[in-house]
Amino acid sequence: MSPNLDSKVINARNTAIGLDLGWINHLKVNRNAADRRAASLANRRTVKKDYQAAWLVKAIQCIDLTTLSGDDTPGRVERLCMKAMRPLRTDLMQALGLDSLQTGAVCVYHEMIAPAVQVLQGRMPIAAVSTAFPAGLSSMETKLREIELSVAAGATEIDIVITRQHVLTGNWQALYNEMLAYRQACGEAHVKAILATGDLVTLENVAKASWVCMMAGADFIKTSTGKEGVNATIPVSLVMVRAIREYYEQTGFKVGYKPAGGVSTAKSALQYLTVMKEELGNEWLEPHLFRIGASSLLTDIERQLEHHVTGFYSAAHRHAQP
């Protein structure tokens, strides 16, 4: 592949470019170098005071506020959507000089799309997890139909899960074909490819799976379902965002990134924002190219912002989740 940086391509949605097995088979990851770089990013001194508050507000704008529990109800999802549209209390908004603020999206199971649509009325994206989330071990026919039904129900983004065995056995053609079919089933809805990186064993597998999914037209690549033993980590994120950067340099297509699973504190959110800024630049700090999949993160960010405004920490139960 050679770079194609025509302005029309740069602004276009990522589309399938074809599977280049020669490229995939030659991908290598220096684990020691990746770990050193990840450690330097994770351990550096964080921003403080007004700068930290501004970064935390940016983090809120990039959250996919999520509920993926077996006991989800329409009422819980309705409260989640109300929180997504108004993530901070009025007094904190005024103190921070904010006229409006909302999260990047809400993320729910298929059965909870309808109550989300009813509340949100098109005010923000609705993401639905699909393709037999979280294991992805249903028939292809079932998974494609699930995508189609979720899009018809009002989901504007689909978070799919890849078949991990394709990665673990090195069957890159099968993974490409699968991702391509998911992309086509999504139609105008954007698709986030969940790699379930905790199941992929090596960073090299993470890099290759990232490239194959992007070659097949993924709009985002995402670390995890949140259900694996190991979810988002800084080393995995570094490998994935560098794949995104090189893919952009080679094709001109900008692919988004979504860490998910275990990102529950303001400090960890700041670490991921730092990775995005330093590795991809300011444009990837916007919700059309960066999301954080989280359920409890907003609570800690709100507590940190209240401390910034008042000098005191409030009890966590005052910021209860929906």
Side-chain angles (χ1 to χ4, degrees), residues 54-72:
W55 275 64
L56 292 177
V57 169
K58 174 62 68 177
I60 290 173
Q61 294 173 325
C62 295
I63 291 176
D64 277 2
L65 195 59
T66 302
T67 182
L68 297 172
S69 300
D71 59 353
D72 281 343

PDB file of all heavy atoms in Angstrom, residues 54-72:
ATOM      1  N   ALA A  54     -10.139  21.053  32.587  1.00  0.00           N
ATOM      2  CA  ALA A  54     -10.451  21.101  31.153  1.00  0.00           C
ATOM      3  C   ALA A  54     -10.292  19.731  30.520  1.00  0.00           C
ATOM      4  O   ALA A  54     -11.118  19.312  29.690  1.00  0.00           O
ATOM      5  CB  ALA A  54      -9.547  22.122  30.466  1.00  0.00           C
ATOM      6  N   TRP A  55      -9.261  18.993  30.912  1.00  0.00           N
ATOM      7  CA  TRP A  55      -9.052  17.654  30.363  1.00  0.00           C
ATOM      8  C   TRP A  55     -10.157  16.703  30.822  1.00  0.00           C
ATOM      9  O   TRP A  55     -10.601  15.853  30.052  1.00  0.00           O
ATOM     10  CB  TRP A  55      -7.680  17.128  30.791  1.00  0.00           C
ATOM     11  CG  TRP A  55      -6.576  17.579  29.888  1.00  0.00           C
ATOM     12  CD1 TRP A  55      -6.167  18.856  29.684  1.00  0.00           C
ATOM     13  CD2 TRP A  55      -5.739  16.761  29.074  1.00  0.00           C
ATOM     14  NE1 TRP A  55      -5.121  18.888  28.793  1.00  0.00           N
ATOM     15  CE2 TRP A  55      -4.832  17.625  28.404  1.00  0.00           C
ATOM     16  CE3 TRP A  55      -5.642  15.394  28.854  1.00  0.00           C
ATOM     17  CZ2 TRP A  55      -3.863  17.144  27.525  1.00  0.00           C
ATOM     18  CZ3 TRP A  55      -4.658  14.912  27.985  1.00  0.00           C
ATOM     19  CH2 TRP A  55      -3.796  15.786  27.330  1.00  0.00           C
ATOM     20  N   LEU A  56     -10.615  16.861  32.056  1.00  0.00           N
ATOM     21  CA  LEU A  56     -11.680  15.981  32.541  1.00  0.00           C
ATOM     22  C   LEU A  56     -13.007  16.275  31.852  1.00  0.00           C
ATOM     23  O   LEU A  56     -13.793  15.355  31.597  1.00  0.00           O
ATOM     24  CB  LEU A  56     -11.814  16.107  34.062  1.00  0.00           C
ATOM     25  CG  LEU A  56     -10.628  15.552  34.868  1.00  0.00           C
ATOM     26  CD1 LEU A  56     -10.839  15.788  36.353  1.00  0.00           C
ATOM     27  CD2 LEU A  56     -10.415  14.059  34.587  1.00  0.00           C
ATOM     28  N   VAL A  57     -13.246  17.525  31.541  1.00  0.00           N
ATOM     29  CA  VAL A  57     -14.435  17.852  30.751  1.00  0.00           C
ATOM     30  C   VAL A  57     -14.332  17.219  29.362  1.00  0.00           C
ATOM     31  O   VAL A  57     -15.307  16.671  28.835  1.00  0.00           O
ATOM     32  CB  VAL A  57     -14.619  19.386  30.645  1.00  0.00           C
ATOM     33  CG1 VAL A  57     -15.680  19.734  29.603  1.00  0.00           C
ATOM     34  CG2 VAL A  57     -15.001  19.967  31.995  1.00  0.00           C
ATOM     35  N   LYS A  58     -13.144  17.260  28.793  1.00  0.00           N
ATOM     36  CA  LYS A  58     -12.930  16.594  27.496  1.00  0.00           C
ATOM     37  C   LYS A  58     -13.183  15.092  27.609  1.00  0.00           C
ATOM     38  O   LYS A  58     -13.785  14.484  26.718  1.00  0.00           O
ATOM     39  CB  LYS A  58     -11.507  16.859  27.006  1.00  0.00           C
ATOM     40  CG  LYS A  58     -11.102  16.113  25.747  1.00  0.00           C
ATOM     41  CD  LYS A  58     -11.961  16.508  24.563  1.00  0.00           C
ATOM     42  CE  LYS A  58     -11.705  17.927  24.133  1.00  0.00           C
ATOM     43  NZ  LYS A  58     -12.522  18.266  22.912  1.00  0.00           N
ATOM     44  N   ALA A  59     -12.751  14.501  28.708  1.00  0.00           N
ATOM     45  CA  ALA A  59     -12.988  13.064  28.908  1.00  0.00           C
ATOM     46  C   ALA A  59     -14.481  12.766  28.942  1.00  0.00           C
ATOM     47  O   ALA A  59     -14.938  11.771  28.353  1.00  0.00           O
ATOM     48  CB  ALA A  59     -12.322  12.588  30.198  1.00  0.00           C
ATOM     49  N   ILE A  60     -15.264  13.610  29.617  1.00  0.00           N
ATOM     50  CA  ILE A  60     -16.715  13.410  29.661  1.00  0.00           C
ATOM     51  C   ILE A  60     -17.295  13.398  28.255  1.00  0.00           C
ATOM     52  O   ILE A  60     -18.139  12.559  27.916  1.00  0.00           O
ATOM     53  CB  ILE A  60     -17.381  14.508  30.512  1.00  0.00           C
ATOM     54  CG1 ILE A  60     -17.035  14.332  31.987  1.00  0.00           C
ATOM     55  CG2 ILE A  60     -18.909  14.473  30.329  1.00  0.00           C
ATOM     56  CD1 ILE A  60     -17.514  15.460  32.877  1.00  0.00           C
ATOM     57  N   GLN A  61     -16.849  14.322  27.421  1.00  0.00           N
ATOM     58  CA  GLN A  61     -17.359  14.419  26.054  1.00  0.00           C
ATOM     59  C   GLN A  61     -17.059  13.169  25.229  1.00  0.00           C
ATOM     60  O   GLN A  61     -17.721  12.936  24.214  1.00  0.00           O
ATOM     61  CB  GLN A  61     -16.758  15.642  25.360  1.00  0.00           C
ATOM     62  CG  GLN A  61     -17.179  16.968  25.960  1.00  0.00           C
ATOM     63  CD  GLN A  61     -16.435  18.141  25.365  1.00  0.00           C
ATOM     64  OE1 GLN A  61     -15.244  18.038  25.023  1.00  0.00           O
ATOM     65  NE2 GLN A  61     -17.105  19.270  25.214  1.00  0.00           N
ATOM     66  N   CYS A  62     -16.082  12.382  25.678  1.00  0.00           N
ATOM     67  CA  CYS A  62     -15.668  11.200  24.915  1.00  0.00           C
ATOM     68  C   CYS A  62     -16.116   9.885  25.551  1.00  0.00           C
ATOM     69  O   CYS A  62     -15.729   8.817  25.076  1.00  0.00           O
ATOM     70  CB  CYS A  62     -14.145  11.202  24.748  1.00  0.00           C
ATOM     71  SG  CYS A  62     -13.513  12.579  23.759  1.00  0.00           S
ATOM     72  N   ILE A  63     -16.930   9.948  26.585  1.00  0.00           N
ATOM     73  CA  ILE A  63     -17.392   8.723  27.240  1.00  0.00           C
ATOM     74  C   ILE A  63     -18.558   8.108  26.473  1.00  0.00           C
ATOM     75  O   ILE A  63     -19.492   8.800  26.090  1.00  0.00           O
ATOM     76  CB  ILE A  63     -17.839   9.000  28.693  1.00  0.00           C
ATOM     77  CG1 ILE A  63     -16.637   9.355  29.567  1.00  0.00           C
ATOM     78  CG2 ILE A  63     -18.565   7.787  29.276  1.00  0.00           C
ATOM     79  CD1 ILE A  63     -17.021   9.747  30.992  1.00  0.00           C
ATOM     80  N   ASP A  64     -18.478   6.807  26.227  1.00  0.00           N
ATOM     81  CA  ASP A  64     -19.659   6.024  25.851  1.00  0.00           C
ATOM     82  C   ASP A  64     -20.257   5.527  27.166  1.00  0.00           C
ATOM     83  O   ASP A  64     -19.804   4.517  27.731  1.00  0.00           O
ATOM     84  CB  ASP A  64     -19.273   4.831  24.967  1.00  0.00           C
ATOM     85  CG  ASP A  64     -19.134   5.205  23.502  1.00  0.00           C
ATOM     86  OD1 ASP A  64     -19.287   6.384  23.161  1.00  0.00           O
ATOM     87  OD2 ASP A  64     -18.864   4.302  22.685  1.00  0.00           O
ATOM     88  N   LEU A  65     -21.242   6.238  27.684  1.00  0.00           N
ATOM     89  CA  LEU A  65     -21.812   5.888  28.979  1.00  0.00           C
ATOM     90  C   LEU A  65     -22.591   4.583  28.822  1.00  0.00           C
ATOM     91  O   LEU A  65     -23.537   4.505  28.047  1.00  0.00           O
ATOM     92  CB  LEU A  65     -22.709   7.016  29.477  1.00  0.00           C
ATOM     93  CG  LEU A  65     -23.091   6.978  30.960  1.00  0.00           C
ATOM     94  CD1 LEU A  65     -21.850   7.005  31.852  1.00  0.00           C
ATOM     95  CD2 LEU A  65     -24.008   8.144  31.306  1.00  0.00           C
ATOM     96  N   THR A  66     -22.202   3.583  29.598  1.00  0.00           N
ATOM     97  CA  THR A  66     -22.556   2.197  29.284  1.00  0.00           C
ATOM     98  C   THR A  66     -23.301   1.513  30.423  1.00  0.00           C
ATOM     99  O   THR A  66     -22.966   1.674  31.590  1.00  0.00           O
ATOM    100  CB  THR A  66     -21.262   1.410  28.980  1.00  0.00           C
ATOM    101  OG1 THR A  66     -20.577   2.032  27.894  1.00  0.00           O
ATOM    102  CG2 THR A  66     -21.568  -0.041  28.635  1.00  0.00           C
ATOM    103  N   THR A  67     -24.310   0.721  30.062  1.00  0.00           N
ATOM    104  CA  THR A  67     -24.859  -0.266  30.980  1.00  0.00           C
ATOM    105  C   THR A  67     -25.075  -1.560  30.208  1.00  0.00           C
ATOM    106  O   THR A  67     -25.804  -1.601  29.218  1.00  0.00           O
ATOM    107  CB  THR A  67     -26.157   0.209  31.659  1.00  0.00           C
ATOM    108  OG1 THR A  67     -26.592  -0.808  32.571  1.00  0.00           O
ATOM    109  CG2 THR A  67     -27.262   0.516  30.673  1.00  0.00           C
ATOM    110  N   LEU A  68     -24.392  -2.602  30.635  1.00  0.00           N
ATOM    111  CA  LEU A  68     -24.451  -3.903  29.970  1.00  0.00           C
ATOM    112  C   LEU A  68     -24.583  -4.996  31.034  1.00  0.00           C
ATOM    113  O   LEU A  68     -23.735  -5.877  31.165  1.00  0.00           O
ATOM    114  CB  LEU A  68     -23.203  -4.133  29.111  1.00  0.00           C
ATOM    115  CG  LEU A  68     -23.004  -3.161  27.942  1.00  0.00           C
ATOM    116  CD1 LEU A  68     -21.639  -3.364  27.301  1.00  0.00           C
ATOM    117  CD2 LEU A  68     -24.109  -3.334  26.909  1.00  0.00           C
ATOM    118  N   SER A  69     -25.661  -4.925  31.791  1.00  0.00           N
ATOM    119  CA  SER A  69     -25.898  -5.870  32.875  1.00  0.00           C
ATOM    120  C   SER A  69     -27.115  -6.725  32.564  1.00  0.00           C
ATOM    121  O   SER A  69     -28.040  -6.286  31.869  1.00  0.00           O
ATOM    122  CB  SER A  69     -26.118  -5.121  34.190  1.00  0.00           C
ATOM    123  OG  SER A  69     -24.986  -4.346  34.529  1.00  0.00           O
ATOM    124  N   GLY A  70     -27.113  -7.913  33.120  1.00  0.00           N
ATOM    125  CA  GLY A  70     -28.246  -8.807  32.913  1.00  0.00           C
ATOM    126  C   GLY A  70     -29.525  -8.308  33.541  1.00  0.00           C
ATOM    127  O   GLY A  70     -30.619  -8.735  33.149  1.00  0.00           O
ATOM    128  N   ASP A  71     -29.409  -7.397  34.509  1.00  0.00           N
ATOM    129  CA  ASP A  71     -30.603  -6.860  35.157  1.00  0.00           C
ATOM    130  C   ASP A  71     -30.961  -5.457  34.670  1.00  0.00           C
ATOM    131  O   ASP A  71     -31.673  -4.710  35.344  1.00  0.00           O
ATOM    132  CB  ASP A  71     -30.436  -6.855  36.681  1.00  0.00           C
ATOM    133  CG  ASP A  71     -29.237  -6.033  37.139  1.00  0.00           C
ATOM    134  OD1 ASP A  71     -28.456  -5.568  36.277  1.00  0.00           O
ATOM    135  OD2 ASP A  71     -29.088  -5.844  38.361  1.00  0.00           O
ATOM    136  N   ASP A  72     -30.478  -5.080  33.475  1.00  0.00           N
ATOM    137  CA  ASP A  72     -30.868  -3.789  32.891  1.00  0.00           C
ATOM    138  C   ASP A  72     -32.387  -3.741  32.705  1.00  0.00           C
ATOM    139  O   ASP A  72     -33.021  -4.744  32.355  1.00  0.00           O
ATOM    140  CB  ASP A  72     -30.197  -3.574  31.529  1.00  0.00           C
ATOM    141  CG  ASP A  72     -28.754  -3.137  31.652  1.00  0.00           C
ATOM    142  OD1 ASP A  72     -28.359  -2.697  32.752  1.00  0.00           O
ATOM    143  OD2 ASP A  72     -28.015  -3.237  30.652  1.00  0.00           O
TER     144      ASP A  72
END
